Amino acid sequence: MPTPMAAEAVLNREFLEIRAKLLEIAASLDRIDRGGGSVEGDSRMDLILEGLSLLREDGVARAEAIQLLFSRQYDENWREQYKLAPRKA
């Protein structure tokens, strides 16, 4: 099993990309704030804010937590729900 890269090495490698993504998110939120109307009570905005909050938590499962936040619960009958042909065996 390979040894994980040291935290400092990961930060050195990914700092600029993380910085760029944070700037992109900040710019998007600024555009929303400058836009007319309100997004208060919009469930999508609530999800975004909850996702940002998850980023501040300690641990190694932030990506999983955010993925689950934006995911639907699994439905065994999804093929019928979306009117897709049954899966062939």
Side-chain angles (χ1 to χ4, degrees):
M1 177 179 226
T3 303
M5 188 181 297
E8 186 177 358
V10 174
L11 182 60
N12 287 338
R13 184 184 70 191
E14 298 189 15
F15 176 76
L16 292 176
E17 185 176 347
I18 293 168
R19 176 185 170 270
K21 290 175 181 180
L22 288 170
L23 286 168
E24 183 178 346
I25 291 168
S28 294
L29 293 173
D30 286 350
R31 286 191 293 274
I32 290 169
D33 287 344
R34 285 193 302 266
S38 173
V39 293
E40 187 174 335
D42 187 310
S43 62
R44 297 169 299 171
M45 193 66 201
D46 294 340
L47 286 171
I48 290 168
L49 295 174
E50 189 174 344
L52 290 171
S53 178
L54 287 171
L55 289 176
R56 298 211 24 105
E57 292 184 8
D58 290 335
V60 295
R62 287 179 288 251
E64 179 183 2
I66 290 176
Q67 179 65 47
L68 291 172
L69 175 67
F70 287 96
S71 297
R72 294 181 178 179
Q73 292 289 351
Y74 181 72
D75 180 357
E76 291 184 16
N77 300 314
W78 66 271
R79 290 185 171 276
E80 293 81 17
Q81 180 181 353
Y82 293 102
K83 298 177 176 65
L84 298 174
R87 185 172 180 209
K88 295 179 182 178

